[in-house]
Amino acid sequence: EGARVDKGQRLASLDASDILARIDSVRAQIDEAQALLDELVAGPRKQTIDAAEAEVRRWEAMLQLARVTEERQRGLLRSQASSVQQFDEARYSVAQMEASLASAEHVLSELREGTRKERLAAQSARLAVLRSELASLEVDLGDTQLFAPFDGVIARRFLDEGTIADSAAVVLRLLQIEPLEARFGVSPRDALTLRVGDAATVSIAGRSAEAKVLRIEPELDRATRTIGVYVELPVELQWAIPGQTASLAMARPEADQLWVPVTALVKAPRGMWSVMAVEPSAEGGGLVVQRRDVQVVETQGEFSRIVGSMVSANDRIVRDGIHRISVGMPVEVVQ
């Protein structure tokens, strides 16, 4: 906690020894499949083809010898110098040699034509499957690593080393502090006067400096009835601590300063005050209580002077008994 980290720095990791072992296994299978595919693409070696050609020549020579023997036995059989058995052996030897020669010629033909395209396609598909499996494992490996999404400071560490964590466990809280930003809730009327890039005066702990408007939220906060305005703090205020209260100075006409009974004020977060206003319900059908943030300028006796664009003259507010009502409660105004 308190350590500075850089974007992309590894912050935490899960035990991934089983995934690493599977990755090594798949990579070895990919190397084996790639080597076999390269061999199939290259086809048989010249030495293998030469050996097949020599085998064909050997069977051609043996076939020629068998045919000569058959003719000799045929002549001897006619002169009754040989038996029918010897002639049949010579004749069937020729047939055997012809079959062996045909087989050797087929082998030689396959070697000369190279690997069949179907076998190449099958091996390529197997290689693609293995590579997809490797990509999936690498995604799983990446899920075991937690990297910093931006430069910042570790604000809180929720888990210790060696803890068994599930997929929903919160490990760290990282604060982005460069540059620091401040968020202000302003009234819709004031928000319309601001533009991204406008200069704004921000005060923190009694020190003021000119800042720049970064973003303006596009919708109204239903709870506070304000619009969020984000301001980038200048270098003069970069010493501020995240979570510290800041003030945004905006020009406000003197006519907007109103007096209310002290009993109508409610303590609000971030050093502000609120009053409870009664207004028509957004859904229709009566009146409801809504909170309006204001700033107390001074107090004289039972009344306080307030500043705030969320309340204007002739608004109806609850003057006392505030502890008995809540925001959104339907009410009836009794004369």
Side-chain angles (χ1 to χ4, degrees), residues 106-150:
H106 282 306
V107 171
L108 177 60
S109 176
E110 288 183 358
L111 291 174
R112 286 174 174 172
E113 291 181 2
T115 308
R116 292 177 60 89
K117 61 180 181 179
E118 295 84 359
R119 190 176 179 187
L120 288 173
Q123 188 62 25
S124 298
R126 169 171 167 73
L127 188 59
V129 169
L130 290 173
R131 285 174 175 165
S132 298
E133 184 178 354
L134 177 61
S136 177
L137 289 173
E138 289 176 341
V139 170
D140 293 340
L141 181 62
D143 290 341
T144 65
Q145 311 290 321
L146 185 63
F147 298 96
F150 47 78

Side-chain angles (χ1 to χ4, degrees), residues 9 13 27 63 69 71 89 100 120 126 140 147 158 175 194 200 218 220 230 251 257 323:
Q9 180 178 341
S13 61
R27 284 176 176 170
L63 176 60
T69 302
E71 289 299 325
E89 290 177 355
S100 297
L120 288 173
R126 169 171 167 73
D140 293 340
F147 298 96
F158 297 98
L175 296 180
L194 297 175
L220 195 67
Y230 293 85
Q257 298 179 354
H323 62 283

Side-chain angles (χ1 to χ4, degrees), residues 59-77 82 86-87 89-95 97-98:
W59 285 113
E60 287 176 346
M62 294 182 66
L63 176 60
Q64 184 178 2
L65 176 61
R67 286 174 177 172
V68 171
T69 302
E70 180 191 14
E71 289 299 325
R72 183 178 298 109
Q73 289 295 328
R74 189 189 304 276
L76 293 175
L77 182 61
S82 177
Q86 290 176 324
F87 174 71
E89 290 177 355
R91 183 161 57 91
Y92 286 115
S93 178
V94 170
M97 298 301 172
E98 288 176 345

Side-chain angles (χ1 to χ4, degrees), residues 15 38 50 95 102 106 138 143 190 210 236 238 249 293 299 331:
D15 181 18
D38 294 341
D50 291 344
H106 282 306
E138 289 176 341
D143 290 341
D190 286 338
E210 289 295 321
E236 297 87 344
Q238 285 295 321
D293 289 336
T299 299
V331 296

